[in-house]
Structures are given as structure tokens and as C-alpha cells.
Amino acid sequence: MKGVGEQDPLQGTEGPRRPSSPAVWIHAARPKTLLVGAAPVLVGLGLSRADGSWNPWVALITALCGLTVQVLANFVNDYYDWKKGADTPERLGPPRV
């Protein structure tokens, strides 16, 4: 759900509008959920650091892959919700792409 005073990126001041392509992709990626994909990666990287096997290149690639998987999962979820007809006006929660 939106916070108090938070503007819905898919709503214009005069009702629904078609946002720019980058805005749609960013909204569909659900930036607020990226910490969910990053948390296990950060735990693993912390353990590798404590173990002495830390490698910054492996850390970077692992973090990028973890975030990419989270974003792609959000895209797939939105697509199949749309395909099944689950995203109706009666749906509770934040708007989906």
C-alpha cells in the first residue's frame, strides 16, 4: 500500500495515464522488495568474509545475480497475475503493472 502522501506512479493528477517506459519497468521491478533478494546474499557474503574466503569480484557478481533474480521474479509474478486475471480493481495492495 502507498504511504501517506505517496504518489502512485501509474496515476496522473487527472486519473490513470500511460507512464513512460522506464517508469513502468522501475515500478514493475518493485524496488521496495529488493532487500528481500539481497538479504541472503549479504548473509552469505558476510560468512565468506568471516571465513577468509572473501573475493570482491565474486561478491559483486553474487549480489548482482541475487538482485536480478528478485527483479525477474517480480516481472514473472506480474505477468502471470495479469494472465490469470488476478489483477482486478477489487485487488488489495499496491498497483501492479
Side-chain angles (χ1 to χ4, degrees):
M1 287 194 276
K2 296 187 305 269
V4 175
E6 191 174 335
Q7 177 73 20
D8 178 356
L10 299 180
Q11 284 284 341
T13 56
E14 299 174 9
R17 63 179 175 85
R18 183 172 174 91
S20 66
S21 183
V24 171
W25 286 102
I26 291 169
H27 181 73
R30 301 183 206 163
K32 292 180 182 180
T33 68
L34 294 183
L35 187 57
V36 173
V41 172
L42 293 175
V43 169
L45 294 177
L47 290 171
S48 73
R49 182 113 174 150
D51 185 46
S53 58
W54 170 262
N55 181 325
W57 289 110
V58 171
L60 177 66
I61 292 168
T62 304
L64 289 174
C65 288
L67 293 175
T68 300
V69 167
Q70 179 67 34
V71 168
L72 291 176
N74 290 337
F75 291 163
V76 169
N77 179 266
D78 275 355
Y79 172 74
Y80 281 103
D81 280 353
W82 168 78
K83 192 170 181 175
K84 289 181 182 179
D87 287 336
T88 64
E90 293 80 32
R91 182 188 156 282
L92 299 176
R96 296 288 184 237
V97 177

